[in-house]
Amino acid sequence: LMSLLLHGNAYGWVVARAGDGTPSTVVWLNPERVEIDESGPLPVFRFNGRQLPSQDVKHIPAYAMPGSVKGLSPIGVCSMLGDTGAATQRMMRDWFAGRGIPGVTLKNAEKTLTGVEAEAVSERLRARLRTGQPFVHGKDWDIDVMSLPADDAGFVASAKLNATQVATIYGIPPEMIGGESGSSLTYSTVELNQLNFAALTLRPWLAKLEQEFSSWLQQPRFVKFNVDEELHKL
């Protein structure tokens, strides 16, 4: 779990096998010293620069991206989400600073203004807007206050998903880190919190290990963690 949570990959090296060929002793390698070469049709694992026999390598990725066997840690996935959130903040900063679209348009329905006339009217309008006073004009003027386009508004709203997505990755209730849970939390107890922790946080990782370890054994044998036993100790 330390390898999965910190580096996104756990590498096991089978150093002994039972009579039926199943692994009997697996040494977990330091993930910082393992390299994966994916240039060929099959990945090649190297430990301290030495290639390991593929049949003796037990590789468990945390979160694997399509097209790659190398996993990402939860921190790595959150970093990707953080980049998206930072890009959203930069977009909003630049939009407010540079006004990606005009805040107000002013149109004369009767005549076409020269550049000098348009600048004069624009300066008068800006002076009124800065002071918060109404802009008085004749019957020929139309004023329209611009708003953020629907597409941009949807993009800004996506920034709210950042905390929720991070909570989903870590398997914790979104409201604990400022996300949106979609439902109100009526009450909680120590026991209920522990059950939530076991179901939301521990269970996904335990299931990943159970599935991997069970694949090493011959059916009908399988591996399953006794989570209930730990809860009963509370």
Side-chain angles (χ1 to χ4, degrees), residues 20-78:
D20 56 3
T22 58
S24 59
T25 305
V26 177
V27 176
W28 296 103
L29 306 177
N30 186 342
E32 294 182 347
R33 301 181 181 180
V34 178
E35 298 177 357
I36 303 180
D37 184 0
E38 299 184 90
S39 59
L42 295 176
V44 175
F45 297 88
R46 294 186 176 91
F47 179 64
N48 288 335
R50 182 169 63 92
Q51 182 174 339
L52 300 176
S54 58
Q55 67 273 14
D56 291 335
V57 176
K58 298 300 183 182
H59 173 219
I60 307 176
Y63 299 99
M65 296 294 291
S68 177
V69 300
K70 189 173 184 179
L72 289 173
S73 68
I75 296 178
V77 176
C78 288

Side-chain angles (χ1 to χ4, degrees), residues 202-213:
L202 292 181
R203 189 65 227 162
W205 296 103
L206 296 179
K208 179 183 291 291
L209 296 178
E210 287 172 350
Q211 181 179 6
E212 181 65 24
F213 296 159

Side-chain angles (χ1 to χ4, degrees), residues 35-172:
E35 298 177 357
I36 303 180
D37 184 0
E38 299 184 90
S39 59
L42 295 176
V44 175
F45 297 88
R46 294 186 176 91
F47 179 64
N48 288 335
R50 182 169 63 92
Q51 182 174 339
L52 300 176
S54 58
Q55 67 273 14
D56 291 335
V57 176
K58 298 300 183 182
H59 173 219
I60 307 176
Y63 299 99
M65 296 294 291
S68 177
V69 300
K70 189 173 184 179
L72 289 173
S73 68
I75 296 178
V77 176
C78 288
S79 176
M80 296 174 60
L81 296 176
D83 291 342
T84 302
T88 303
Q89 293 177 350
R90 287 195 299 270
M91 184 277 293
M92 290 302 300
R93 180 197 62 196
D94 296 341
W95 188 87
F96 280 112
R99 301 298 290 179
I101 57 175
V104 174
T105 62
L106 193 61
K107 178 180 70 174
N108 191 307
E110 296 294 328
K111 60 177 293 188
T112 301
L113 273 65
T114 65
V116 175
E117 292 173 330
E119 285 297 326
V121 174
S122 178
E123 182 59 34
R124 182 187 171 197
L125 176 61
R126 284 198 297 268
R128 288 293 184 177
L129 292 178
R130 283 195 295 266
T131 59
Q133 298 177 357
F135 178 74
V136 181
H137 53 83
K139 66 178 181 178
D140 298 334
W141 291 98
D142 292 331
I143 186 170
D144 183 21
V145 178
M146 304 295 288
S147 61
L148 191 65
D151 291 343
D152 289 347
F155 180 63
V156 173
S158 69
K160 295 174 59 179
L161 298 177
N162 229 16
T164 303
Q165 290 173 339
V166 171
T168 301
I169 291 173
Y170 279 98
I172 61 176

